Each structure stands twice: as structure tokens, then as C-alpha cells.
Amino acid sequence: MHFNEIEAIEPNTFSNLPSLERLFLHNNRLSRIPVGAFRDMKSLRRLRLDSNTLICDCHLLWLSEMLKEKQTTTQAAATCEYPVSLQGKSLTALSFDDFHCKKPQFTEEPTDVDVSFGGTVYFSCKADGDPEPEIVWLHNKNEIIPEEDARLSILNDGTLMITEARDSDQGVYECMAKNAAGEAKSRTAQIRYYGDRGR
């Protein structure tokens, strides 16, 4: 797949190819490699990403760490094009500090919410970081998976929305912000009910 002027690859393009031994992507126009692009490639022995336009910022930290872990089994060539200070340097030669990552820091944390039974609850959570942190919510220390309960959803700005509040929603809520540089946990918050339970 080299010399094809490829500009982008999707996160799962090469995942789940356990028998693939050699992947040549050199001499393309790739500037970013999505997280997990080479997941479950257990037989990979050679990977070429040189002669691309790789931007060696925090978004590529995961790849640098993966290549360092696999140095004994996988021969890899991947060099930076940007920033200029890292031009021509191998990804495996870079340290954590070279990527200028910023661990997540909260700009807004959840607070206790008063709600009547059957009402809608909103817990806010916002965080900065580089790369932009992913927001995950915990209820009584267990990760909330919105797909498992239609009443729960995580909005685009990180807010947790709970509709039709009920007894089982009581307990401790906290949000976690995660990125390649690390993770942070917010203070905890609870739902307080008022009025007639009605159920």
C-alpha cells in the first residue's frame, strides 16, 4: 500500500488481522494514525510508516509506546515530519515530553442535584487536555454504559442525563476524563429526591 498518496486511514482498517506479517504504508500522505489502528495484529513483524507527513504530537503518543513495546518482535520505521523540531526523528526515539501532552484537568465538576421522582437529572462535567479528553461516568464506582439503559445518555459536552429518575439511581456519581497522557477523577455528586415518590 506504499506510494498510493493515502491521506487517512480509519481506526479499524487493519485491526483483527492476526496473520498479517508485513504492512508497508511508507511514501503516502499520512499525518495522523488513529488510536488502535494496528490492534490485534499479533503476527506483525515489519511496519513501515516512513516518508509520510506524520505530526508527532500527543495524538501519536500511543503509537510510539506501542512500537517501543514491540521492538523485540516488530521492526518498524516511522519518522516525524512535524513539528519542525522533531523532523526526521524516529517515533521510537522520542520521550513522553517530546509529545507535549496535557493530562486532563476539570473545568467543571458535577454537583449534587435535587429532583422529583420521574424527573430528569443533569450532571455536568467538562475537562481540558491534549488530546481532548474522553468523558466517562461512574455510578457507585461502576462505569455507566448508556447502551445498557435507554434512560441514561452522555451528551456531547460530557453532561450525564438521566430521565425518569427512580430509586435505583441513588448513590454516588463521578466523572472521569481520560486521554493519552492520563486520567483524572472528579469530585463525587449525588441525587437528592424531594416530593412524593409516587412509585
Side-chain angles (χ1 to χ4, degrees):
M1 296 180 70
H2 48 303
F3 294 96
N4 273 308
E5 300 192 3
I6 298 169
E7 293 183 1
I9 55 177
E10 295 298 313
N12 297 314
T13 303
F14 302 108
S15 61
N16 299 313
L17 293 171
S19 302
L20 189 69
E21 293 183 10
R22 294 187 298 172
L23 180 56
F24 293 163
L25 288 164
H26 55 290
N27 290 90
N28 281 300
R29 294 183 182 173
L30 295 168
S31 58
R32 300 255 182 233
I33 309 290
V35 175
F38 311 119
R39 187 178 291 129
D40 300 325
M41 297 181 74
K42 297 176 178 60
S43 303
L44 191 64
R45 297 291 169 261
R46 289 207 58 202
L47 174 63
R48 287 196 60 185
L49 289 164
D50 49 307
S51 301
N52 277 289
T53 56
L54 293 181
I55 301 169
C56 291
D57 62 8
C58 204
H59 295 278
L60 270 194
L61 175 63
W62 74 271
L63 182 59
S64 173
E65 292 182 340
M66 184 198 91
L67 295 179
K68 285 176 188 174
E69 282 172 24
K70 293 179 173 276
Q71 271 182 318
T72 54
T73 57
T74 305
Q75 184 184 356
T79 49
C80 304
E81 186 69 21
Y82 303 103
V84 174
S85 59
L86 298 177
Q87 197 167 36
K89 290 196 175 176
S90 168
L91 262 181
T92 53
L94 302 183
S95 71
F96 177 85
D97 292 336
D98 289 323
F99 291 94
H100 299 289
C101 301
K102 289 187 191 136
K103 289 185 179 179
Q105 286 191 313
F106 291 106
T107 55
E108 191 174 334
E109 297 188 57
T111 55
D112 292 351
V113 175
D114 293 312
V115 68
S116 58
F117 273 81
T120 300
V121 176
Y122 294 95
F123 282 118
S124 295
C125 181
K126 292 185 173 77
D128 281 337
D130 185 12
E132 186 177 329
E134 173 197 1
I135 299 291
V136 175
W137 281 91
L138 306 173
H139 177 221
N140 296 331
K141 304 217 181 288
N142 297 311
E143 185 175 339
I144 291 173
I145 300 167
E147 293 76 24
E148 293 178 359
D149 188 338
R151 298 181 311 108
L152 308 175
S153 48
I154 299 173
L155 308 181
N156 287 339
D157 68 354
T159 300
L160 173 65
M161 181 175 80
I162 305 168
T163 58
E164 299 169 29
R166 55 175 74 146
D167 262 336
S168 60
D169 297 324
Q170 287 184 302
V172 175
Y173 289 85
E174 56 193 328
C175 94
M176 189 187 291
K178 302 201 266 194
N179 70 8
E183 57 185 51
K185 264 189 186 174
S186 72
R187 65 173 171 242
T188 59
Q190 298 187 38
I191 298 174
R192 292 187 301 238
Y193 290 110
Y194 60 83
D196 180 24
R197 297 194 168 221
R199 54 177 81 187

